[in-house]
Amino acid sequence: MDASEILLTFAEVAVALAGFIGITAAFRQRSTSWSADDLSSVRFVLEVSFSALFLSVLPGIVSNFSVAPELSWRVAALGMAGVLLALFSYQAQRRRRLARKGIRPGSRVPCRRTMIACYFAVTAGVALAGVFGIVVQGAYVLGVAMLLLAAVIEF
């Protein structure tokens, strides 16, 4: 199976996961009120799902610019680093904002931090793939798989 086929499958999984969390949220809204931890979990799953969706199609978008295949994967890897940095920064900012309001997110926060640290480790490996001889496509696919795994664990 080619890396692009795997990424398209991941894109489908990300859309399905986001859709399922939306349906769950719609049904849950009618029955009970939401705690800060529940809202934080739903946001996390949606943010990670949409990030995984974007990262799944990014190599295909980059390859449309008539770039050499190896270079397109490296550019996509740098895009992954940017997306994950933005995601991590946004989540850290939101945690600080909730803490100022006196709302403490539940016990899931350490799991998120660990998973995000793992994303950065994989992304750093992908970005430096030319130096250490790591297969760029495999590391990139692994990074997107870890994003989806984090969303499933949170859900």
Side-chain angles (χ1 to χ4, degrees):
M1 191 176 229
D2 189 70
S4 59
E5 293 174 8
I6 294 171
L7 288 174
L8 287 177
T9 302
F10 285 166
E12 292 172 2
V13 169
V15 169
L17 188 61
F20 187 70
I21 195 78
I23 291 170
T24 303
F27 284 121
R28 173 98 186 253
Q29 186 176 15
R30 294 180 187 161
S31 62
T32 61
S33 62
W34 289 81
S35 69
D37 194 38
D38 291 338
L39 286 173
S40 181
S41 294
V42 168
R43 285 182 182 146
F44 179 78
V45 171
L46 288 174
E47 290 164 1
V48 169
S49 295
F50 288 126
S51 296
L53 174 62
F54 174 72
L55 292 173
S56 294
V57 297
L58 183 61
I61 293 169
V62 172
S63 69
N64 284 333
F65 290 106
S66 300
V67 179
E70 186 175 325
L71 182 61
S72 69
W73 281 102
R74 289 189 186 185
V75 169
L78 290 174
M80 177 184 267
V83 167
L84 294 177
L85 180 63
L87 181 65
F88 178 72
S89 299
Y90 176 72
Q91 290 176 353
Q93 179 186 17
R94 187 173 57 225
R95 276 195 306 273
R96 283 192 300 267
R97 196 174 341 120
L98 287 174
R100 276 189 237 129
K101 292 180 180 180
I103 301 171
R104 303 186 86 195
S107 61
R108 297 178 183 160
V109 173
C111 177
R112 291 182 195 161
R113 290 180 187 158
T114 303
M115 292 303 291
I116 289 172
C118 290
Y119 308 154
F120 277 111
V122 169
T123 304
V126 170
L128 299 173
V131 177
F132 296 113
I134 300 170
V135 178
V136 178
Q137 295 173 351
Y140 189 90
V141 169
L142 179 63
V144 176
M146 289 178 66
L147 275 171
L148 289 173
L149 179 64
V152 168
I153 288 172
E154 183 71 22
F155 185 65

